[in-house]
């Protein structure tokens, strides 16, 4: 533990001209007294750490000293590619590895480029979770992430409705969608080697098919020592895109016929499912003389459509089904009564 901290201290000093004891203590998560002891230990080991006293003082390396401890390990290199999503790294338990990788890269940069990580971080930031939702990392996510990185099979107990099922899985990849973690995995028979079936997003329960699981529905995970051979033809982004669109279409079981104003057409993708909006607007006819157009929209249910389409207000008119049109007519009557009142 201390050896790793000493290496990190050297890398920090190599990547910056001077650091105060408080800055080092904060970065290393130790006390300033520990920083002093570590600096002395480095000096005794032959690393030229020099302490300058005074207001502008601090610790620095003397004479352009360069450590050779900057070679990236495989796990650090892989984590570095995810460094733009710090929350995801933290939830998967990779934050320390990514931090070490960034330090090594910073230490290897020319002095004129060492501020590049800071300037980039000040200009670009990814905030993955959706608005108005407090993200909660699934407790089993780090274990699943380890299995994904190491290509190790896992046995998972999965909550489905009121029951639990057990699946033997080959975990191919993780996806973070709007603050929710998913595992893309291939189902395998217990004790046997699963055979590849390509990248098709099959919905069946047979062995060898790829499926998607919400990790927060796992109630137990046992990562085995058994490693699986990856299907090199598997494309995680492509598979996820197909699955996401297929899921969106699968729940759109009803149809609504609407008249939309130009504003309504612009706002439709923000009020309903984007896939459904895209399909509805793809075949939209020319607007009539008033600038309105009639479209057919697939929706999950009449209840959901009522809630979603209310966001369009007077920019949408429901033509079918009659029951949904009656709901909006009743809403309009209530609104007229509500806003037609006068304070006495």
């Amino acid at each position: 533990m201390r050896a790793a901290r000493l290496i990190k201290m050297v890398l920090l000093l190599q990547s910056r001209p001077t650091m105060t004891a408080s800055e080092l203590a904060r970065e290393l998560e130790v006390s300033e007294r520990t920083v002093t002891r570590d600096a002395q230990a480095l000096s005794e080991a032959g690393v030229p750490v020099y302490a300058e006293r005074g207001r502008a003082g601090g610790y620095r390396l003397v004479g352009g000293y360069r450590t050779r401890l900057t070679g990236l390990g495989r796990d650090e290199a892989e984590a570095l590619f995810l460094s733009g999503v710090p929350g995801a790294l933290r939830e998967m338990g990779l934050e320390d590895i990514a931090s070490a990788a960034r330090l090594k890269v910073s230490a290897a940069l020319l002095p004129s480029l060492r501020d590049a990580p800071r300037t980039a971080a000040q200009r670009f930031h990814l905030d993955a979770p959706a608005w108005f939702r407090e993200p909660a990392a699934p407790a089993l996510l780090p274990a699943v992430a380890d299995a994904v990185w190491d290509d190790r099979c896992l046995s998972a107990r999965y909550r489905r409705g009121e029951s639990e099922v057990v699946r033997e899985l080959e975990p191919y990849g993780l996806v973070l969608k709007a603050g929710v973690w998913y595992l893309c995995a291939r189902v395998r028979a217990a004790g046997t080697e699963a055979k590849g079936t390509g990248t098709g997003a099959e919905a069946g329960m047979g062995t060898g098919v790829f499926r998607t699981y919400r990790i927060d529905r796992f109630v137990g995970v046992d990562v085995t020592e058994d490693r699986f051979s990856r299907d090199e033809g598997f494309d995680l982004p492509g598979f996820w895109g197909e699955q996401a669109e297929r899921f969106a279409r699968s729940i759109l079981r009803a149809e609504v016929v609407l008249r939309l104003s130009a504003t309504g057409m612009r706002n439709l993708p923000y009020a309903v499912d984007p896939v459904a909006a895209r399909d509805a607007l793809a075949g939209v006819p020319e607007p009539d003389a008033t600038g309105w157009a009639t479209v057919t929209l697939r929706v999950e249910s009449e209840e959901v459509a009522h809630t979603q389409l209310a966001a369009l207000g007077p920019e949408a008119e429901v033509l079918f089904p009659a029951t949904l049109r009656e709901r909006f007519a009743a809403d309009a009557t209530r609104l007229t009564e509500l806003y037609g009142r006068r304070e006495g």
Side-chain angles (χ1 to χ4, degrees):
M1 183 67 179
R2 191 190 185 198
R5 189 175 71 241
L6 293 175
I7 291 172
K8 185 174 182 178
M9 184 174 180
V10 173
L11 292 172
L12 283 168
L13 293 174
Q14 186 170 312
S15 63
R16 306 179 197 179
T18 303
M19 293 186 70
T20 65
S22 61
E23 289 173 335
L24 284 167
R26 185 169 58 253
E27 291 280 357
L28 300 172
E29 299 180 347
V30 296
S31 67
E32 293 187 26
R33 180 171 295 182
T34 298
V35 168
T36 301
R37 288 199 298 265
D38 285 352
Q40 183 177 354
L42 287 171
S43 181
E44 292 173 354
V47 178
V49 177
Y50 178 70
E52 291 182 328
R53 299 185 180 278
R55 187 174 182 181
Y59 291 91
R60 64 184 179 88
L61 293 175
V62 179
Y65 176 84
R66 307 282 294 178
T67 177
R68 295 184 179 183
L69 297 172
T70 53
L72 287 177
R74 181 178 180 82
D75 55 351
E76 294 170 336
E78 290 171 334
L80 189 60
F81 284 101
L82 295 172
S83 59
V85 281
L89 282 168
R90 183 170 54 254
E91 292 175 5
M92 288 189 291
L94 299 174
E95 188 174 31
D96 289 342
I97 292 175
S99 175
R102 286 192 295 268
L103 270 175
K104 291 182 177 182
V105 170
S106 296
L109 291 174
L110 293 172
S112 60
L113 300 177
R114 285 181 188 160
D115 65 341
R118 182 185 61 81
T119 56
Q122 293 300 322
R123 287 163 173 77
F124 301 100
H125 175 68
L126 176 63
D127 186 7
W131 284 103
F132 312 120
R133 185 195 307 178
E134 187 66 29
L140 297 174
L141 176 60
V144 175
D146 284 345
V148 170
W149 284 117
D150 292 342
D151 293 340
R152 284 192 290 166
C153 300
L154 58 84
S155 178
R157 287 188 293 119
Y158 189 75
R159 187 173 66 253
R160 191 169 66 184
E162 298 300 320
S163 61
E164 291 183 8
V165 296
V166 177
R167 293 286 177 263
E168 305 298 324
L169 303 174
E170 296 175 354
Y172 268 64
L174 293 168
V175 175
L176 176 60
K177 170 72 171 180
V180 179
W181 283 96
Y182 296 86
L183 172 68
C184 298
R186 183 163 59 183
V187 181
R188 71 196 306 258
T192 64
E193 192 69 33
K195 302 300 181 183
T197 59
T199 61
E202 300 178 60
M205 287 307 302
T207 301
V209 299
F210 287 95
R211 295 181 59 82
T212 303
Y213 300 87
R214 278 186 61 145
I215 295 181
D216 58 7
R217 292 181 182 168
F218 284 154
V219 294
V221 168
D222 178 24
V223 180
T224 73
E225 295 301 319
D226 186 16
R227 283 182 164 80
F228 63 93
S229 298
R230 281 181 170 265
D231 181 345
E232 295 301 326
F234 179 80
D235 172 29
L236 179 60
F239 172 77
W240 174 257
E242 292 174 6
Q243 286 285 83
E245 184 158 335
R246 179 173 297 176
F247 172 75
R249 293 184 189 281
S250 72
I251 64 174
L252 303 176
R253 302 186 181 94
E255 284 189 350
V256 172
V257 180
L258 301 169
R259 286 183 71 240
L260 296 171
S261 68
T263 300
M265 285 186 279
R266 285 197 302 271
N267 292 340
L268 186 65
Y270 304 103
V272 303
D273 180 84
V275 173
R278 185 175 70 239
D279 290 348
L281 297 175
V284 65
E286 287 295 321
D288 60 22
T290 63
W292 288 57
T294 301
V295 303
T296 299
L297 175 74
R298 293 188 62 78
V299 296
E300 185 174 346
S301 66
E302 188 173 311
E303 291 284 344
V304 173
H306 180 239
T307 300
Q308 293 176 331
L309 295 175
L312 298 177
E315 307 302 331
E317 177 191 2
V318 174
L319 302 179
F320 176 85
T323 50
L324 182 57
R325 181 179 176 85
E326 289 167 3
R327 286 190 185 210
F328 278 104
D331 289 346
T333 299
R334 292 178 60 195
L335 286 170
T336 300
E337 293 173 354
L338 182 64
Y339 286 97
R341 294 173 184 168
R342 293 288 185 270
E343 296 286 339

